[in-house]
Amino acid sequence: MSTEVNPIFSINRKTFEDVYHRYWEKVYAVCYNNIREVEVAKEMVQDIFKSLWERRDSLELENVGHYLIRSAKFKTFEYIRNKTTRQKIDEFNYQGCVNSSNCTEEQVLFNELKDNVDLLVDTLPCQCKRVYKMSREEGLTNREIAEKLVISERAVEYHITRAMTTLKEKLAIFNKK
């Protein structure tokens, strides 16, 4: 009995296009069925294929379909984990408010602060804003951000520091109220 070894799948422009057209719908279905959000699922699919293209020289794939489906499952798990973490933080903040005698006032101040932070984040330079949101809202590590944006971890640290400095400076006014 001979053992057959599957050939390693190499990716060039043509094979990438073929793989994209062949598997896009399946990868999207996995993402959408797990999170039930159309735009987020589409963005995940694009991230998965972008990563495949960027890593094409270092990947040694025997079955690209299995790789893409596994990537989609991992991506949705990561999204759900981060979303759950954000919800727990919001619930914790709310519970702290419930135990307070100034609940309504604190909730109003909290919402006002959150709105101000969101507005200030939107005024950050594009790359700085993107890095900040990936770090603080999506919960990605500096390494994950660096890989996704194809920049150095040092650049990620710079953008986060720049964002935090800007936010602290501009929110100082809010703190004086």
Side-chain angles (χ1 to χ4, degrees):
M1 184 168 137
S2 68
T3 307
E4 288 187 34
V5 176
N6 290 335
I8 301 298
F9 186 82
S10 70
I11 301 171
N12 58 34
R13 185 180 177 94
K14 173 72 173 121
T15 56
F16 178 80
E17 289 174 3
D18 292 343
V19 165
Y20 183 85
H21 292 295
R22 182 174 180 188
Y23 291 103
W24 188 93
E25 201 170 317
K26 291 177 185 176
V27 174
Y28 172 77
V30 170
C31 293
Y32 179 78
N33 287 333
N34 282 298
I35 63 170
R36 300 284 184 205
E37 294 180 44
V38 172
E39 291 306 315
V40 175
K42 285 180 180 178
E43 187 176 315
M44 286 179 178
V45 174
Q46 294 306 317
D47 287 345
I48 290 165
F49 279 101
K50 178 182 176 213
S51 175
L52 176 65
W53 178 251
E54 290 170 347
R55 299 173 56 212
R56 68 189 177 279
D57 295 330
S58 62
L59 288 175
E60 294 182 3
L61 301 175
E62 291 182 15
N63 187 322
V64 72
H66 288 178
Y67 170 81
L68 291 169
I69 298 303
R70 276 195 328 267
S71 295
K73 289 177 182 177
F74 176 75
K75 195 74 145 163
T76 57
F77 168 76
E78 181 180 50
Y79 175 81
I80 291 166
R81 182 191 67 205
N82 290 337
K83 187 175 182 178
T84 302
T85 301
R86 285 190 305 273
Q87 286 172 338
K88 285 181 182 177
I89 290 169
D90 289 345
E91 287 173 16
F92 177 78
N93 290 334
Y94 178 75
Q95 287 301 322
C97 179
V98 168
N99 297 329
S100 170
S101 60
N102 300 343
C103 182
T104 303
E105 181 181 351
E106 286 181 14
Q107 190 63 46
V108 168
L109 289 173
F110 174 78
N111 289 339
E112 185 180 342
L113 177 61
K114 186 175 181 320
D115 291 343
N116 284 329
V117 169
D118 291 343
L119 287 172
L120 290 173
V121 167
D122 286 339
T123 67
L124 293 171
C126 187
Q127 185 79 327
C128 190
K129 175 171 57 174
R130 185 178 300 128
V131 169
Y132 177 85
K133 286 184 171 193
M134 292 173 87
S135 172
R136 298 306 191 256
E137 294 176 10
E138 296 176 33
L140 299 178
T141 66
N142 289 2
R143 175 172 285 160
E144 291 169 328
I145 296 168
E147 288 173 1
K148 282 185 173 221
L149 298 179
V150 193
I151 60 175
S152 69
E153 285 186 60
R154 187 79 180 115
V156 172
E157 292 169 8
Y158 166 79
H159 287 299
I160 291 173
T161 301
R162 183 176 178 192
M164 295 303 290
T165 302
T166 301
L167 293 175
K168 284 179 187 176
E169 288 172 359
K170 296 194 176 182
L171 286 172
I173 295 168
F174 186 82
N175 209 15
K176 293 177 184 177
K177 289 184 179 179

